[in-house]
Amino acid sequence: MPTNKVTAWVGWVWFAAFALITVGLFNVVAGLVAIFSSEKVLAWTNSGLAIIDVSTWGWVHLILGAIITLVGFVLFGGEPWVRATAVVLVVLNLVAQFVSLPVTPWWSIVVIALDVVVLWALIVHGDEVERASA
């Protein structure tokens, strides 16, 4: 039976909004650094040595970061479509961070952990923001 009561757990979704803004801005900065870097990364695979162009992934991080930042700001309104969009973007960011793991392992691990907490907040307590903003 649904209730209209808003609990203190709504703070987790607001934390998720701030985290999305922060992660998005860091992705934008990391993307810009990678785009303007002429560095190529060597990675060993099962089939041999691969050369990875860092600037290509920079564009991915830049665009994804800009969209994540925007969605983070809009998430404070509590609209259900924004929460669904945020969940999809966080999953995409998780994939991008797993791909970037060989290049920036510590940063990727931190962002992956933060993304998991954001997913938990959005999925478990997301509906409370809608009630709080109504």
Side-chain angles (χ1 to χ4, degrees):
M1 179 163 128
T3 177
N4 287 338
K5 184 178 179 185
V6 176
T7 66
W9 288 105
V10 74
W12 277 102
V13 181
W14 289 331
F15 165 80
F18 280 117
L20 285 175
I21 293 167
T22 304
V23 168
L25 289 174
F26 279 133
N27 274 356
V28 167
V29 170
L32 287 172
V33 168
I35 288 169
F36 294 113
S37 172
S38 61
E39 180 181 334
K40 306 277 191 239
V41 176
L42 299 175
W44 289 100
T45 64
N46 290 339
S47 59
L49 184 65
I51 299 174
I52 301 169
D53 184 12
V54 177
S55 65
T56 303
W57 277 106
W59 283 105
V60 171
H61 283 284
L62 176 69
I63 293 168
L64 189 59
I67 296 170
I68 288 173
T69 302
L70 178 65
V71 168
F73 281 112
V74 179
L75 187 61
F76 287 111
E79 296 295 325
W81 68 269
V82 177
R83 283 185 288 128
T85 304
V87 168
V88 170
L89 288 172
V90 169
V91 170
L92 288 175
N93 193 45
L94 275 168
V95 171
Q97 293 303 323
F98 272 112
V99 171
S100 300
L101 204 54
V103 179
T104 56
W106 291 108
W107 174 250
S108 293
I109 290 171
V110 169
V111 174
I112 288 168
L114 190 57
D115 281 347
V116 168
V117 173
V118 168
L119 275 177
W120 172 79
L122 291 172
I123 293 170
V124 175
H125 301 291
D127 60 333
E128 291 190 31
V129 174
E130 187 178 353
R131 291 194 304 259
S133 62

